[in-house]
Each structure stands twice: as structure tokens, then as C-alpha cells.
């Protein structure tokens, strides 16, 4: 099991954030991720929204980074930590822009980028960016195929309903070969089929954990699945977040200070097919120093025991 780390103060979702995070500066975030890097965490993860309507701010907050910009900053503070979104909203930017941003991040960071894309759920955000919410699934399929073409073809070309290009050059390509890993987040059957066709990993959101094996079997049963390994990421704290960021108060979501409880939780996730997770923070973290202490404690007490 690989242990990832969420980037603190990268979003203010009420069901997940703790008040101490609000005081962290960009410098503080860089220091925290440098410590995580030195301790051997697998990758950092952060979410994305471009604009949030006032009606959603109470639960969702309005504090979000642009994922690839923020990950570029973190990449400059670290050496080995992999750099992942969670999630980048695929239909809200041109696939040419997505492809360029992620290949740039991968090339400059020495091959550490991992793109976790989602189709989005906040219709008002789509409306304000003049993107069709109803067509977002079809757009996502074309965007993924065209991004892969830009990353992997010597002379990229693509012809679709939403994306068209030919006779173009595209460099730098991602440093990772044949391309950087693509993950997809979400729970709908269309998402699982998209994982089978395009992705290296799946990040469920509202799917009950007990259904993870069934969903993984469904992915691998699809005719376009080619037998490649499918990684899975899930963090227990996501059990506390509703589809529109409602607070669910799931008793499994809060972090623990018990070594054995955490090891048991990770063992349970591993049995369900999860390959990467985040050890959730316990309630009541007081500030940056205690957060760093928690990172060190997990690295010392949990990492060596989970394989």
C-alpha cells in the first residue's frame, strides 16, 4: 500500500478541512511537502475548482488552486514526491491546454506527474465558463483521446466532435514513457468504462467501499480493457463527503491516533483492491508543528508495517 499526502490549505471543503490549515502560507505548504518528500510519502494530491457560486461556498469553500500551477510549485520544493491532482476538471479547459500543462509539469519535475481527471459536478461552474454541462461526458472521452495523441504521437492529429487538430508539433512530450499516468475519478458506469479504455488508475468518490471489487471486475470486463494494471486510490476521509460536499459524519472517516486501528483500516482497504490511500488526520490538529509531527509519526509507525 502506498501512502499519499493531501496538500494542506489547498481547499476549504467543510467536511475535510481543519481550521489550522487556513493560516498556512505558500511557503508553509512548500515546507510541509518537502518534509513529506523526505519521509518517503508516495505523492501529494490536491483538488481544483476555478470559480464557486456563492450558494456552494458554505460547504465547498472558494479557496482552490489551479492544480498544475500548484503542483509545479510543489515540484520545485521536492525531489521524489509524485505530483497528482485530485481532481482536475477535464471538460473545463481545452485538451491542448491540459496536455501542455501536464507534459510541462512532467518534463520539468523529472517525470513525477500523475493526472487525475474528473468530469465535474458543479453545473454553475460550467455555465460561468461557457462549457456544456450536459455534453461533459462525451467531451471527456474526446479530450482524453486527444491528450494521449498529443503526448504519444510524433505528428499528432485528432478529428472529433469537440477537438480537431492536424499538422501540428507538440513538445516537450512527457518525460514518462509512453506517457504520464492517467487516473479518473468518479462513480458512474460511464466513468468505469472510461477507466477501462484510457486510464491507469481509478479514484472512487461516492461508491461504497464494499463495491470496489465488483467495480474493478466491471472495468476489467470491458471490451476496450487491454490487461494493463489498474491502480486504485481511496481515502477514508472521503466517506465524510457527500456528492455535493455535504457533511455525512461517517464514523469511519476521522483519523485515529491508534497504530493498530490505522493498520487495520489500511488492511481493509487493501483487501478491497485499494493500492494507494491517505492516512486521515485526527481531529484537533493545532497547527503546522503538530501536522509535521503527524507526518513523521505515520512515516515511522505505519509505513514500515503496511508493505
Amino acid at each position: 500500500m502506498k501512502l499519499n499526502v493531501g496538500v494542506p490549505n489547498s481547499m476549504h471543503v467543510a467536511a475535510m478541512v481543519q481550521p489550522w490549515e487556513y493560516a498556512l502560507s505558500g511557503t508553509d505548504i512548500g515546507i510541509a511537502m518537502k518534509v513529506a518528500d523526505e519521509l518517503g510519502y508516495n505523492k501529494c494530491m490536491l483538488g481544483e475548482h476555478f470559480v464557486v457560486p456563492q450558494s456552494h461556498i458554505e460547504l465547498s469553500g472558494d479557496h482552490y488552486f489551479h492544480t498544475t500551477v500548484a503542483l509545479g510549485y510543489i515540484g520545485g520544493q521536492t525531489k521524489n514526491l509524485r505530483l497528482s491532482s485530485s481532481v482536475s476538471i477535464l471538460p473545463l479547459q481545452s485538451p491542448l491546454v491540459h496536455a501542455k500543462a501536464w507534459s510541462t509539469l512532467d518534463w520539468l519535475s523529472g517525470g513525477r506527474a500523475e493526472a487525475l481527471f474528473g468530469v465535474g459536478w458543479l453545473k454553475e461552474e460550467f455555465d460561468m465558463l461557457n462549457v456544456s454541462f450536459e455534453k461533459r461526458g462525451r467531451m471527456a472521452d474526446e479530450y482524453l483521446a486527444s491528450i494521449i495523441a498529443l503526448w504519444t504521437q510524433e505528428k499528432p492529429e485528432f478529428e472529433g466532435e469537440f477537438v480537431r487538430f492536424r499538422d501540428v508539433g507538440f513538445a516537450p512530450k512527457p518525460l514518462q514513457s509512453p506517457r504520464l499516468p492517467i487516473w479518473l475519478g468518479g462513480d458512474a458506469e460511464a466513468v468505469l468504462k472510461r477507466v477501462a479504455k484510457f486510464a491507469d488508475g481509478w479514484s472512487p468518490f461516492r461508491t461504497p467501499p464494499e463495491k470496489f471489487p465488483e467495480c474493478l471486475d466491471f472495468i476489467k470486463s470491458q471490451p476496450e480493457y487491454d490487461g494493463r494494471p489498474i491502480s486504485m486510490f481511496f481515502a477514508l476521509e472521503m466517506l465524510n463527503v457527500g456528492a455535493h460536499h455535504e457533511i455525512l459524519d461517517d464514523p469511519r472517516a476521522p483519523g485515529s491516533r491508534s497504530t493498530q486501528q490505522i493498520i487495520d483500516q489500511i488492511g481493509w482497504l487493501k483487501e478491497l483492491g485499494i493500492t494507494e490511500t491517505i492516512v486521515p488526520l485526527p481531529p484537533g490538529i493545532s497547527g503546522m508543528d503538530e501536522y509535521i509531527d503527524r507526518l513523521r509519526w505515520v512515516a515511522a509507525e505505519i509505513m514500515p508495517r503496511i508493505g
Side-chain angles (χ1 to χ4, degrees):
M1 179 73 74
K2 296 177 180 178
L3 294 188
N4 302 338
V5 59
V7 177
N9 202 25
S10 61
M11 60 181 178
H12 291 175
V13 177
M16 300 176 71
V17 73
Q18 293 193 19
W20 63 272
E21 297 182 43
Y22 300 153
L24 297 186
S25 66
T27 299
D28 294 329
I29 292 170
I31 291 170
M33 294 301 97
K34 184 177 181 179
V35 170
D37 181 40
E38 293 169 347
L39 291 171
Y41 284 84
N42 175 50
K43 68 187 177 190
C44 65
M45 309 182 76
L46 54 82
E48 177 178 82
H49 282 289
F50 293 106
V51 63
V52 177
Q54 286 288 333
S55 58
H56 286 273
I57 289 176
E58 181 179 358
L59 292 178
S60 299
D62 59 1
H63 176 98
Y64 294 88
F65 301 137
H66 188 294
T67 51
T68 49
V69 174
L71 291 171
Y73 167 73
I74 294 169
Q77 310 295 309
T78 56
K79 296 180 180 179
N80 299 302
L81 195 67
R82 298 190 65 78
L83 309 166
S84 175
S85 52
S86 181
V87 300
S88 292
I89 306 172
L90 187 57
L92 291 184
Q93 295 185 95
S94 160
L96 282 77
V97 174
H98 275 300
K100 177 62 71 173
W102 284 100
S103 64
T104 299
L105 176 64
D106 197 60
W107 194 89
L108 287 173
S109 69
R112 291 190 279 144
E114 299 194 15
L116 201 173
F117 292 122
V119 298
W121 61 271
L122 188 54
K123 183 178 185 301
E124 297 93 328
E125 185 175 18
F126 279 71
D127 294 342
M128 287 182 276
L129 289 166
N130 198 30
V131 176
S132 171
F133 186 74
E134 290 72 22
K135 296 179 181 178
R136 70 193 190 283
R138 300 207 321 268
M139 294 172 70
D141 289 330
E142 280 197 14
Y143 281 24
L144 287 166
S146 61
I147 287 169
I148 291 171
L150 288 164
W151 285 345
T152 61
Q153 294 177 9
E154 183 178 350
K155 297 180 179 179
E157 61 180 55
F158 190 86
E159 184 71 25
E161 178 184 357
F162 306 103
V163 189
R164 299 177 186 86
F165 53 81
R166 65 176 60 249
D167 299 322
V168 300
F170 181 89
K173 304 290 190 186
L175 197 62
Q176 297 177 82
S177 180
R179 56 167 175 78
L180 60 93
I182 292 174
W183 292 64
L184 297 177
D187 308 288
E189 183 175 302
V191 173
L192 301 183
K193 291 181 176 180
R194 202 169 288 129
V195 171
K197 184 174 182 180
F198 294 109
D200 306 287
W202 174 46
S203 177
F205 177 37
R206 293 302 309 145
T207 300
E210 293 77 12
K211 291 186 175 292
F212 291 167
E214 174 186 330
C215 292
L216 188 58
D217 287 343
F218 178 83
I219 290 169
K220 293 182 176 180
S221 73
Q222 298 307 298
E224 292 177 303
Y225 173 65
D226 60 6
R228 67 195 176 279
I230 301 292
S231 300
M232 288 179 61
F233 167 79
F234 186 75
L236 288 171
E237 62 185 352
M238 295 164 68
L239 294 169
N240 203 39
V241 186
H244 297 101
H245 292 169
E246 304 92 341
I247 301 172
L248 302 181
D249 290 325
D250 191 304
R252 299 170 295 179
S256 171
R257 300 180 189 272
S258 164
T259 301
Q260 191 58 53
Q261 183 178 353
I262 294 170
I263 291 171
D264 290 346
Q265 289 171 333
I266 290 173
W268 175 62
L269 292 176
K270 191 173 182 178
E271 289 175 359
L272 296 173
I274 300 302
T275 58
E276 301 182 12
T277 191
I278 291 173
V279 177
L281 296 174
I285 295 290
S286 61
M288 176 77 161
D289 289 345
E290 189 175 351
Y291 172 72
I292 296 295
D293 288 343
R294 172 72 174 188
L295 291 180
R296 296 189 188 280
W297 181 83
V298 169
E301 299 296 328
I302 306 300
M303 281 187 189
R305 305 186 189 191
I306 59 173

